[in-house]
Amino acid sequence: MTSPRAVLLPPDDRTGVGPLLPLESLTAPAFRGFFDNLGVGGVQISTDGRFLQVNQRFIELTGYPREQLLEMRVGDLDHPDDREPDRERWDAFLHDPAVKYDVEKRYVRRDGSTIWVHVTAARIPMSGEQVTIAKTVEDVTERVLATHALREREQRLREALAVKEEFLGMVSHELRTPLTVILGLANVVARNGSSHAQVQRTVLEIRESAEHLASLLESMLVLARVGEEAPELEPILIDRVAMRAVDRHREVFPNRKIGVKVRTSTPLVDGHEPWIAHVISNKLGNAEKYSPGKGRISVIVDRDEADVCVRVLDEGRGIADEDMPHIFEAFYRAAHAVKDSGGLGLGLAVCKRLIDLQGGEVWAQAREGSGAEFGFSLPALDAED
Ligand code: ADP
């Protein structure tokens, strides 16, 4: 029978398999050559962690010269975050022969860079009771980083999927509400017996719900189009757009006190009119939704050196400090909004997107006293430009 303590010599030409020779026949220089030319790092260490031997590959892996390594302890190479857990595993391995040491952890190289290594250890009985430890150390950085990247991507996908599911749930709810209203009201109109005035009122309500539905769909489309560029921009008198938006608002909410103040004679910007109209209407809609019926809504068109600014002011509850950093994020809604009113939290995200695409900026702030200010600015276009 072949002795288990054996080495494999180079393959035989005919059989392709090398004869096995007893390990004892391996001379010290031969072992040295074998050890030094291993494709993985190899070290021999004392049970208190001092390096006794290190091979060439280990020197390359760590970046330290042999002499310096022989003055170090094996734990010195461990990444600070891995030291504590590794010390526990190492102690268990030293004290219990049944425990294996087979770990992946990080080393900090001499130049400060971090690598991932796969380390295995085995006891080597020496004379008497003495043992030393042989370790193999393999650089597995590429594999570990690829695995981490894969895991991160998986995690992001899972999050995106969760957001999508939540989004679909909210969307179907939000779309169903105006649709139900439209269907209900259409049935009322279809029934004979309503007066002309009643029919007219109902048709207006149907239009309101249909507009809400259309704007929801529009918002989703805007946010879904990633990397979209602005269409050809053209000179626009922004005060006109603001006035038209306010007129439309008055038609739908005739009891609201609402007005436009134009404080510049040159409210000219380079923009895309339907987008600007959408942004102003959205802010008016929010002012309507988040301020009491008797509060005033004011639209102020102004300009400074470089920009034309539009601010929509209301006398509602304003914006809490904790909501301020988030209100332009898609799907973000303040707790009071979730409790008191419907909405997807998309309106402001869409406004920001549309204004960004036209080279402008959006902002929100609480007004002194009470109420909120929602504004945007677009680069001004001087008449002679
Ligand atoms: P939605 O109105 O569907 O919630 P928006 O994106 O338009 O979505 O608004 C995001 C959040 O910003 C709202 O949920 C609300 O908390 C806050 N907000 C927007 N406009 C106002 C306003 N005029 N006053 C107070 N809070 C507002």
Side-chain angles (χ1 to χ4, degrees), residues 174 212 216 282-291 312-320 323 326-338 341-351 364 371-374:
E174 287 302 316
H212 178 56
L216 274 177
N282 178 275
K283 291 181 190 311
L284 291 177
N286 274 350
E288 187 65 44
K289 189 154 105 180
Y290 297 113
S291 66
V312 177
L313 312 176
D314 65 47
E315 296 176 349
R317 61 184 302 145
I319 310 149
D323 296 324
H326 306 291
I327 50 177
F328 288 101
E329 289 168 11
F331 303 121
Y332 185 82
R333 307 197 69 218
H336 71 83
V338 175
S341 58
L344 281 178
L346 288 178
L348 290 178
V350 168
C351 290
E373 167 181 327
F374 281 85

Side-chain angles (χ1 to χ4, degrees), residues 292-305:
K294 54 182 173 8
R296 164 171 277 280
I297 300 175
S298 315
V299 180
I300 298 173
V301 181
D302 210 347
R303 73 163 283 180
D304 59 22
E305 274 290 286

Side-chain angles (χ1 to χ4, degrees), residues 25-318:
S25 66
L26 202 59
T27 58
F31 184 76
R32 179 86 246 164
F34 165 73
F35 179 67
D36 247 349
N37 290 302
L38 271 179
V40 294
V43 295
Q44 188 190 7
I45 51 177
S46 59
T47 47
D48 64 357
R50 271 177 305 114
F51 288 109
L52 303 172
Q53 312 245 23
V54 295
N55 76 351
Q56 190 53 35
R57 178 70 190 126
F58 189 76
I59 291 171
E60 287 160 13
L61 275 181
T62 60
Y64 285 98
R66 187 184 305 271
E67 306 68 47
Q68 200 171 340
L69 283 169
L70 295 180
E71 285 171 7
M72 291 165 74
R73 277 167 197 272
V74 72
D76 295 345
L77 293 168
D78 287 351
H79 186 282
D81 293 346
D82 294 346
R83 261 180 212 155
E84 205 42 51
D86 193 52
R87 196 167 300 141
E88 281 168 26
R89 280 183 300 220
W90 185 242
D91 283 347
F93 167 75
L94 287 181
H95 293 109
D96 182 352
V99 172
K100 284 197 161 43
Y101 185 86
D102 185 331
V103 299
E104 270 182 18
K105 59 177 178 175
R106 286 162 293 178
Y107 273 178
V108 180
R109 302 181 77 241
R110 189 184 185 206
D111 63 9
S113 59
T114 299
I115 54 170
W116 280 91
V117 284
H118 175 212
V119 185
T120 61
R123 289 178 182 71
I124 308 194
M126 307 297 278
S127 57
E129 292 286 281
Q130 258 196 324
V131 285
T132 60
I133 313 293
K135 274 187 168 183
T136 62
V137 181
E138 194 184 351
D139 184 348
V140 289
T141 310
E142 250 176 58
R143 175 176 55 72
V144 171
L145 292 187
T147 311
H148 285 180
L150 207 67
R151 261 193 229 132
E152 256 171 49
R153 210 170 307 147
E154 251 179 49
Q155 177 64 17
R156 276 204 303 274
L157 263 174
R158 227 173 285 129
E159 282 167 9
L161 224 63
V163 168
K164 193 177 138 205
E165 268 168 30
E166 190 191 355
F167 177 67
L168 282 178
M170 286 194 294
V171 164
S172 38
H173 172 78
E174 287 302 316
L175 295 183
R176 208 176 296 131
T177 310
L179 255 182
T180 312
V181 174
I182 291 171
L183 284 174
L185 293 175
N187 282 333
V188 172
V189 177
R191 259 184 251 128
N192 287 329
S194 302
S195 69
H196 180 68
Q198 271 171 335
V199 169
Q200 264 201 326
R201 256 201 319 277
T202 314
V203 167
L204 272 182
E205 286 175 54
I206 289 178
R207 187 176 85 179
E208 191 189 318
S209 287
E211 277 173 353
H212 178 56
L213 201 57
S215 102
L216 274 177
L217 284 172
E218 182 59 28
S219 300
M220 287 170 211
L221 285 177
V222 169
L223 288 176
R225 279 182 233 133
V226 182
E228 186 185 4
E229 288 187 7
E232 191 80 359
L233 302 183
E234 51 192 12
I236 288 159
L237 281 167
I238 233 174
D239 56 336
R240 307 265 167 86
V241 186
M243 283 173 197
R244 275 197 293 273
V246 165
D247 284 346
R248 298 222 0 103
H249 193 88
R250 270 199 201 106
E251 271 177 40
V252 184
F253 303 99
N255 298 327
R256 174 65 74 174
K257 280 181 271 167
I258 183 168
V260 185
K261 283 190 194 123
V262 182
R263 294 184 180 155
T264 167
S265 56
T266 50
L268 195 63
V269 296
D270 228 0
H272 182 53
E273 184 166 339
W275 286 3
I276 299 175
H278 175 93
V279 171
I280 299 175
S281 298
N282 178 275
K283 291 181 190 311
L284 291 177
N286 274 350
E288 187 65 44
K289 189 154 105 180
Y290 297 113
S291 66
K294 54 182 173 8
R296 164 171 277 280
I297 300 175
S298 315
V299 180
I300 298 173
V301 181
D302 210 347
R303 73 163 283 180
D304 59 22
E305 274 290 286
D307 301 304
V308 176
C309 313
V310 178
R311 291 180 289 144
V312 177
L313 312 176
D314 65 47
E315 296 176 349
R317 61 184 302 145

